[in-house]
Amino acid sequence: MQQFIDLLSAETGRAFAAAGYDAAMGRISVSGRPDLCEYQCNGAMAGAKTYHKAPFVIAQEVAEQLKETSVFSLVDVVKPGFINLNVQDDFLEAYLQNMREADKFGFETSKEPKMIIIDYGGPNVAKPLHVGHLRSAVIGEAVKRILRFHGDNAIGDIHLGDWGLQMGLVITELKKRQPGLPYFDEGFTGEYPEEAPFTVSDLEEIYPYASAKSKEDEAYHEEALENTRLLQDGDRGYRALWRHILNVSVADMKKNYANLNVTFDLWNGESTVHDLIPGMVEKMKADGFAYESQGALVVDVAKESDPKEVPPCMILKSDGAALYTTTDLATLLMREQDCHPDEIIYVVDKRQELHFVQTFRAAEKCGLIHPDCRLVFDGFGTVNGKDGRPFKTRDGGVMRLSSLIAEIDASMLEKIEANPAIQGEEAQKTAQQVGLAAIKYGDLSNQASKDYIFDTEKFTSFEGNTGPYILYTIVRIKSILGKYAAEGGKAPETLRLGLPQSAAEKNLMRDIAGFSAMMQEAYEDIAPHRICGYIYQLSNDFNSFYHGTRIMTEQDVAKKEAWIALLELTRSILETCIDVLGFEAPERM
Ligand code: ARG
C-alpha cells in the first residue's frame, strides 16, 4: 500500500504540475505547527528560486488547482509561501480501513529480500554478562526484528568471545586448584568425563580471581598466555576442558538472553574460525596485501581522505599469535563463504569503531567479502549512572546484567502488587514483563549512538516517555475491549470505522495512518528509537482521545462500534511495534 504521506503528496504534486511547476515540489510533511494545520507543503519556497517568482504567487496558483480536491479539507496559503493543509475526514477513514484489511497494515515489504547478518550480543565466555552487554543485545534484537518486519532475511550471530586470554586464565587457575584432573595429565589417553568439574558460579568466581592475579603476578600471566597458546594449538586435554567452560557458560547465557527475550540463530564464536586463519593469512601475504613490519604482520588501510590517521591493521603479532582483528577477518571470510550476505551489521560499543574501520577496510582490500557486501558499524554509547559516569553497582563494582534485571523486577513488583487484584504468580510474571519493557524502552528510546543515563525510577514510571506507560496504554485498551466483549459486543474486526468525531480522535487516526512511513524510516536509518517516538505519540494521542470520549456509555451504536474498531486498530499497531522492539504487554497491570 502506498504511504499515506505519499498519497497526500501526490495530490499536491498534481496541483503543482497543473499550475505549470515541477510535481516533485508538491512533497508535503507533517505540520511543524499542529495548532495551524495537520500537514504542510513548502514546495513554493523552493519553486521561487527555480522559477524566479514570488513563492506566495506560486502557492496561490497551486491552491487554485486544489479547489476541487477530495483529499484536503483545508488549503491555506500563508506568507511567505507556505501551504497549510488538513486532510479530509473520509479520505483518512478510508485509508485506515484499507490498513486494517492489508497485511502488516499495508507496509511495503522488500521486493528482493536481502540476506543480512547482525553481529550482536558479543558476550565473553566465562565472564558474567554485565550492563555493557545489555545494549548490544537489546538494540541488536530490535534491529533484527525491524529487518525481518521489512521482509529481509536477517540472521543473528552472537559472535562469542570464546578464544582469547580469558580461556587461558580460567584453565591456569583450574590447574592450580585441581591439578589432579585428567585434563592436565599429558599421559592421559582415555575418555574425558562428560560432567564439567565446575559450576557456573565457580566460573564466575574463577575468572575475576585469575584476571586480577595475572595483573600483579607476571609468572602467572606468562603461564596463562602459554596455556592460551596450547589451547589454540590443539592440546587435547585443554580443548576438552575448554568445551566444558563453553558449555557451562553458554547454558547460563541462554538463560540470561531468554529473560531479555533475545534469541540468536547462530552461536558462532571466535573459536569457530580458528582453522580458517592460516589459509587466510597466507593468501593475504601471497596477494601482497599483508607484509611484515617490526616483526608483526600488517595490512595498510589508511586513505588519503582520512581526517585522522588510521593505523595499519595488525593481522599477526610478532610471536605469530592471532588478534581480535584476525578472528573478525576470518569471521567475515566464513560469513562470505557460508551465506554470501548483502549486508553485515555490527551492533557493538562505539569505542570499538577504529577496530571496525580497520577490519572492514582490510576485508575489502583483501577481497575476503564480495565488493557489493555492505559492512555497517552500528556503534552504541555508554550506559551511565545518575552521576553521568559508567553505570556501577552501589559499591562501585561492575553491574551484572542479572543484578540489574533483578533490581528492576523488584521495583516493578512493588508497583504491580499495589493493585490488590494482581498478586502472587501473576504479579511476578507481570512485573517481569513490565520490567523488561522498562529496561528495553529506556534503552531503545535513545538514539543508539548516544550515551544514556540508566535511571531506574524514571524507567519504571507508569507516566512519561517509558515502556510501562506504553504497556499501560495497551492494557487500558485491552480492558475496554474486554468490557465490550463481556457486554456481548461484536468482534472488533467485523466493525466499521467511522469519521473522527473530535480533533483528538482525528489526531489518533492520523498517527495510525503514519505507521508505514515511520517503519520505513526506522528501517532505512536502522533506528529503533523512531518506533519508540512513534508509539509514545500514539499513546499520548490515544489517551487524550480516551479521556475526552465516553466510549462505553455511548448510546449511538454506530459511533460506539466505530470507536471499538479504532481501539482495536490502535492496540494492534501498538502491539506490533513493541513486538518489533522485542517486548510484550500483559493482559492487565
Ligand atoms: N566480545 C567483544 C567484547 O566484549 C564484542 C564482540 C563484538 N563483535 C565482533 N564481531 N567483534 O568487546
Side-chain angles (χ1 to χ4, degrees), residues 119-124 127 130 133 136 158-162 270 324 327-328 331 335 346-349 352 355-356:
D119 184 312
Y120 70 110
N124 299 312
K127 299 191 199 175
H130 60 79
H133 292 110
S136 183
I158 191 164
H159 198 76
L160 290 172
D162 61 355
E270 296 172 352
Y324 184 46
T327 47
D328 261 326
T331 302
R335 287 174 176 162
Y346 292 79
V347 184
V348 183
D349 192 317
Q352 293 193 23
H355 160 77
F356 283 100

Side-chain angles (χ1 to χ4, degrees), residues 183 192-198 244 248:
Y183 311 96
Y192 292 109
E194 272 187 25
E195 279 287 301
F198 45 76
H244 284 314
V248 167

Side-chain angles (χ1 to χ4, degrees), residues 236-266:
R236 191 171 156 266
Y238 283 11
R239 285 283 175 107
L241 194 54
W242 170 80
R243 266 274 135 236
H244 284 314
I245 303 174
L246 191 67
N247 290 341
V248 167
S249 192
V250 164
D252 186 57
M253 281 174 190
K254 286 195 172 162
K255 260 193 262 159
N256 271 295
Y257 283 119
N259 283 338
L260 284 174
N261 198 16
V262 169
T263 55
F264 298 93
D265 305 288
L266 298 173

Side-chain angles (χ1 to χ4, degrees), residues 284-481:
M284 287 168 118
K285 277 203 255 180
D287 292 345
F289 295 124
Y291 66 93
E292 235 170 79
S293 165
Q294 295 166 343
L297 194 70
V298 301
V299 173
D300 285 331
V301 291
K303 286 186 184 165
E304 243 171 65
S305 55
D306 291 335
K308 255 214 258 154
E309 200 198 314
V310 178
C313 182
M314 206 196 282
I315 311 294
L316 294 179
K317 286 200 282 194
S318 47
D319 63 359
L323 300 111
Y324 184 46
T325 314
T326 325
T327 47
D328 261 326
L329 286 170
T331 302
L332 276 168
L333 182 65
M334 180 184 75
R335 287 174 176 162
E336 173 70 22
Q337 288 172 355
D338 291 356
C339 359
H340 196 72
D342 296 300
E343 208 167 303
I344 307 178
I345 302 174
Y346 292 79
V347 184
V348 183
D349 192 317
K350 72 177 175 200
R351 287 170 291 190
Q352 293 193 23
E353 178 160 20
L354 179 61
H355 160 77
F356 283 100
V357 168
Q358 292 176 305
T359 304
F360 293 173
R361 286 188 185 177
E364 278 156 11
K365 182 170 184 177
C366 303
L368 303 181
I369 47 161
H370 67 273
D372 298 326
C373 179
R374 199 162 84 105
L375 300 176
V376 180
F377 176 65
D378 188 15
F380 54 78
T382 311
V383 184
N384 289 327
K386 272 189 179 168
D387 57 358
R389 322 201 48 175
F391 201 72
K392 292 267 157 65
T393 55
R394 271 188 208 107
D395 53 18
V398 176
M399 180 62 119
R400 289 220 186 153
L401 194 52
S402 49
S403 324
L404 181 87
I405 295 175
E407 196 174 291
I408 290 274
D409 285 357
S411 117
M412 227 9 132
L413 187 61
E414 232 173 84
K415 290 189 189 208
I416 299 290
E417 282 187 331
N419 176 352
I422 311 178
Q423 299 294 318
E425 217 175 286
E426 184 189 353
Q428 299 251 343
K429 188 163 177 265
T430 308
Q432 280 169 12
Q433 252 174 345
V434 185
L436 185 59
I439 294 177
K440 287 197 163 186
Y441 189 93
D443 189 311
L444 295 170
S445 53
N446 301 286
Q447 200 177 326
S449 60
K450 299 221 166 96
D451 299 348
Y452 75 87
I453 291 178
F454 196 97
D455 183 341
T456 306
E457 212 173 300
K458 184 175 149 210
F459 287 9
T460 57
S461 170
F462 285 21
E463 276 151 45
N465 190 6
T466 71
Y469 170 67
I470 306 290
L471 297 195
Y472 194 76
T473 305
I474 295 174
V475 165
R476 169 175 274 164
I477 300 177
K478 285 187 184 179
S479 141
I480 306 167
L481 292 173

